[in-house]
Amino acid sequence: MTDPTFDEPGEYPGEMFKLVKTAPPARSAEDIGTVDAVLLSHDEHADNLDDAGRRYLATVPLVLSTVGAVQRLAGTTISRPAWEGLDLMGPDGTVARVTWVPAQHGPEWATAFTGEVTGFVLSGPGLPTVYVSGDNSSLDVVRTIAERCAPIDVALLFAGAGVVQPLDAVLTLTGEEAVEASVILGARHVVVVHADGWTHFTEGRTEIEAAFERAGQSVTVLAPGAVLTL
């Protein structure tokens, strides 16, 4: 699972900006079933980890996230430097390698306010290679990941072109940037998440699907709480 948010709609005041959730999750935490690990881009913003999401973390055996998240969350949270990884073994003996990769939440000047974030690459013998971008808005970061981790089978891109005041900067990929990211990665399948249900997202499913259609590419846009099966 990535970045759990299970709250009903509501407001999340912060020291610098307020986030407003406008839609309930597609399913409840109770509907999810067994989860081996949560991949958490970061813990500081409610659109990646809301109140119910925080409570949910106590029910899973492992949370993979940032160094700061390890300090702020419960004891099951671990972190690694970028490009280092961890092997997770499934019940059938299959091993999935999770590698921490860079992410940049907005333009470089804004990262002092948006905080530390991470992405992930999942890979293993007989498994598809999956890139989970986290809240990354930098195509230069995507190029670095493509150079080191290609070929990518599935690109899970966080988009929505999120803008909060007073930063007035785009903090996640726009639809056009998601298209460019998918080209850079050479991904066989592109799935866009983190693009609706909050007022700070300035682009949603319609804009993102239109961007991919203009480029002659296919994309799947998932609602919050949806499950992706590979």
Side-chain angles (χ1 to χ4, degrees):
M1 180 186 294
T2 68
D3 302 84
T5 55
F6 292 115
D7 284 351
E8 295 299 317
E11 297 184 355
Y12 301 83
E15 293 182 4
M16 187 168 185
F17 45 78
K18 179 175 73 173
L19 300 182
V20 179
K21 188 175 188 178
T22 59
R27 64 186 66 215
S28 69
E30 293 74 23
D31 293 334
I32 296 298
T34 302
V35 170
D36 298 301
V38 168
L39 308 181
L40 180 61
S41 172
H42 56 298
D43 67 304
E44 297 176 273
H45 300 151
D47 58 328
N48 295 88
L49 185 66
D50 59 15
D51 296 334
R54 288 177 183 275
R55 293 191 295 272
Y56 179 76
L57 293 186
T59 71
V60 299
L62 190 61
V63 180
L64 282 54
S65 192
T66 65
V67 171
V70 171
Q71 297 168 351
R72 289 182 291 266
L73 297 175
T76 60
T77 306
I78 64 172
S79 184
R80 296 285 188 273
W83 310 118
E84 292 190 12
L86 176 75
D87 289 337
L88 301 179
M89 183 174 291
D92 61 352
T94 301
V95 175
R97 180 74 170 176
V98 182
T99 301
W100 277 253
V101 296
Q104 180 178 308
H105 200 356
E108 192 168 344
W109 63 264
T111 57
F113 305 99
T114 56
E116 177 191 17
V117 297
T118 187
F120 303 93
V121 170
L122 289 75
S123 59
L127 300 175
T129 297
V130 181
Y131 166 52
V132 181
S133 75
D135 273 6
N136 173 66
S137 66
S138 170
L139 292 175
D140 286 339
V141 166
V142 173
R143 291 185 184 95
T144 300
I145 290 162
E147 290 168 1
R148 298 188 61 152
C149 301
I152 299 294
D153 296 301
V154 180
L156 191 69
L157 303 177
F158 290 35
V163 177
V164 296
Q165 300 302 329
L167 292 184
D168 196 26
V170 179
L171 304 180
T172 50
L173 295 173
T174 66
E176 297 290 345
E177 289 169 336
V179 171
E180 187 170 351
S182 70
V183 172
I184 293 169
L185 294 163
R188 294 193 300 118
H189 303 285
V190 182
V191 180
V192 171
V193 297
H194 198 64
D196 55 12
W198 297 79
T199 58
H200 61 284
F201 292 138
T202 61
E203 293 185 4
R205 178 187 297 270
T206 299
E207 292 82 4
I208 292 166
E209 289 179 343
F212 277 84
E213 184 176 352
R214 288 192 296 271
Q217 296 189 45
S218 61
V219 65
T220 301
V221 182
L222 295 184
V227 174
L228 172 66
T229 302
L230 301 177

